[in-house]
Amino acid sequence: MRKYNVGIIGATGMVGQRFAILLENHPWFEVKLLAASPRSAGKTYEEAAGSRWKMQSPMPESMKNMKLLDAVADVEKIASEVDFCFCAVDMKKDEIKALEEKYAKAECPIVSNNSAHRFTPDVPMVVPEINPEHIEIIEAQRKRLGTKKGFIAVKSNCSIQSYVPALEPLRKFGITKVLACTYQAISGAGKNFETWPEMVDNLIPYIGGEEEKSEQEPLKVWGKIEGDKIVSASSPQITTQCLRVPVSDGHTAAVFVSFENKPSKEEILKLWADFKGVPQELELPSAPKQFIHYFEENDRPQAKLDRNLENGMAVSTGRLREDSQYDYKFVCLSHNTLRGAAGGGVLLAELLAAKGYFD
């Protein structure tokens, strides 16, 4: 695999910082430029991030003195210098949609962490182990945009990354309904305890827009390409509640599920243990060797103990048991800024690179 020159748009935010850390020594991708808001443009990355650097790892030395470009004003310049960009900007939804499309039309592919284009019918929203075939819609998207190389691909919401992977191999039994209650870390709001002291010893039972995303996005992930668009699946029925909890990183989900043909507990555990996707088959650099890990202990998975499993790219499950109202219930955990955000974006980019979409 040749080295691709990449940019990070929205480099100063928490997800942008995570992209910087993940890409520092990436075998396929080399960061050539960074971009952010006009107020940061012209400053070095170190100057612009300053005290807002929220990662536990230090800022990559190779990026400290990079001068930030203006993510909005410098589109043509950025597009001319890289093979593709990661995007994690903090803007209004309609502004993000327009900006990402502007990059694509400038022949700069965009791998986005943002939600703006998740329901654009010809934009693939990909969990690489689950629906890698959706990247084939890029051909139709390029026709609509009038581009040869440019396109937009997005990763799904961080909340569904915890429980949808565990449901995926069970779909063969005909999932009829799902109830998922998610307990989401504060880093999902771009915060830590220093910047959000109100979250210490607290729980907030509402995250704006999150329940709608958690109920609708799995159906697009499980949908099919029909002509020039992705058509969402019509089932299963999914209902969710999403709570913000005083955890730094790691989204946990309590999941209840019913089936047309109820599997045995042994069948479920074997399917989880054996589940591999295209990233594992292709041995993509960021792919976990074991996608789903099951813990036998009653008090696992725990965010503090298990969120960094396989560099934060694996999904942890536990407490699988029969339920009185649904067929089964279990608990899931994923790292929300790794598997759920920047790491999932990097893995998607690796899939696109392996399939030749940046060439």
Side-chain angles (χ1 to χ4, degrees), residues 126-194:
V126 180
V127 181
E129 285 89 350
I130 297 176
N131 61 329
E133 71 282 359
H134 280 195
I135 64 174
E136 294 168 15
I137 198 68
I138 287 170
E139 184 180 347
Q141 185 193 144
R142 282 171 168 162
K143 285 181 183 176
R144 173 177 66 85
L145 295 174
T147 61
K148 293 181 179 179
K149 183 184 175 188
F151 64 86
I152 303 160
V154 302
K155 52 151 290 298
S156 67
N157 192 42
C158 53
S159 65
I160 78 166
Q161 304 276 343
S162 56
Y163 61 91
V164 169
L167 293 172
E168 169 63 16
L170 310 183
R171 291 175 65 213
K172 63 189 284 187
F173 299 108
I175 298 173
T176 56
K177 59 180 181 175
V178 175
L179 164 63
C181 295
T182 62
Y183 305 87
Q184 301 186 199
I186 63 172
S187 56
K191 306 283 184 69
N192 57 24
F193 287 115
E194 289 180 9

Side-chain angles (χ1 to χ4, degrees), residues 35-50:
S37 65
R39 68 179 177 272
S40 296
K43 298 177 182 177
T44 66
Y45 194 24
E46 190 171 34
E47 290 168 344

Side-chain angles (χ1 to χ4, degrees), residues 30-325:
E30 185 172 352
V31 177
K32 286 294 185 182
L33 58 83
L34 305 170
S37 65
R39 68 179 177 272
S40 296
K43 298 177 182 177
T44 66
Y45 194 24
E46 190 171 34
E47 290 168 344
S51 61
R52 292 185 295 150
W53 184 259
K54 294 184 174 75
M55 298 294 103
Q56 292 182 340
S57 303
M59 181 180 286
E61 287 293 330
S62 60
M63 301 180 206
K64 279 184 177 179
N65 294 317
M66 282 188 180
K67 286 204 171 175
L68 294 174
L69 295 173
D70 186 324
V72 177
D74 294 331
V75 172
E76 296 293 337
K77 175 176 173 58
I78 292 167
S80 69
E81 294 184 11
V82 296
D83 295 303
F84 71 95
C85 281
F86 293 99
C87 188
V89 293
D90 182 12
M91 298 165 63
K92 292 178 181 176
K93 195 168 184 176
D94 58 342
E95 293 174 348
I96 295 172
K97 286 184 81 167
L99 182 65
E100 291 183 342
E101 202 158 289
K102 190 174 181 181
Y103 275 96
K105 287 180 175 177
E107 301 294 359
C108 179
I110 290 293
V111 178
S112 179
N113 184 73
N114 303 302
S115 65
H117 273 291
R118 286 186 192 150
F119 282 95
T120 302
D122 59 9
V123 171
M125 179 174 67
V126 180
V127 181
E129 285 89 350
I130 297 176
N131 61 329
E133 71 282 359
H134 280 195
I135 64 174
E136 294 168 15
I137 198 68
I138 287 170
E139 184 180 347
Q141 185 193 144
R142 282 171 168 162
K143 285 181 183 176
R144 173 177 66 85
L145 295 174
T147 61
K148 293 181 179 179
K149 183 184 175 188
F151 64 86
I152 303 160
V154 302
K155 52 151 290 298
S156 67
N157 192 42
C158 53
S159 65
I160 78 166
Q161 304 276 343
S162 56
Y163 61 91
V164 169
L167 293 172
E168 169 63 16
L170 310 183
R171 291 175 65 213
K172 63 189 284 187
F173 299 108
I175 298 173
T176 56
K177 59 180 181 175
V178 175
L179 164 63
C181 295
T182 62
Y183 305 87
Q184 301 186 199
I186 63 172
S187 56
K191 306 283 184 69
N192 57 24
F193 287 115
E194 289 180 9
T195 58
W196 203 2
E198 299 86 354
M199 275 307 301
V200 176
D201 190 31
N202 196 16
L203 180 152
I204 299 175
Y206 175 72
I207 306 171
E210 202 74 2
E211 286 158 4
E212 294 83 353
K213 293 174 189 174
S214 298
E215 293 171 357
Q216 295 167 12
E217 289 189 18
L219 298 177
K220 182 173 180 180
V221 170
W222 286 330
K224 291 184 178 179
I225 295 175
E226 294 183 12
D228 60 357
K229 60 186 177 182
I230 297 167
V231 177
S232 294
S234 57
S235 63
Q237 294 179 318
I238 303 172
T239 186
T240 66
Q241 286 207 110
C242 300
L243 291 75
R244 187 73 71 192
V245 295
V247 172
S248 59
D249 295 298
H251 287 356
T252 299
V255 185
F256 302 77
V257 59
S258 289
F259 301 92
E260 290 175 11
N261 304 296
K262 183 180 176 181
S264 68
K265 181 177 178 180
E266 290 70 29
E267 286 177 305
I268 293 174
L269 292 176
K270 184 170 188 337
L271 284 167
W272 283 347
D274 293 345
F275 185 24
K276 286 182 171 55
V278 169
Q280 286 72 35
E281 293 166 7
L282 295 177
E283 297 183 344
L284 299 179
S286 298
K289 297 287 187 288
Q290 178 77 32
F291 185 31
I292 299 175
H293 292 247
Y294 184 77
F295 288 90
E296 296 285 353
E297 299 92 334
N298 284 330
D299 61 352
R300 302 283 286 279
Q302 292 182 28
K304 201 167 187 177
L305 298 178
D306 305 312
R307 61 192 170 205
N308 290 315
L309 202 60
E310 298 214 41
N311 298 313
M313 292 299 288
V315 173
S316 302
T317 57
R319 302 204 69 209
L320 174 65
R321 60 223 190 273
E322 293 191 55
D323 182 65
S324 60
Q325 297 180 51

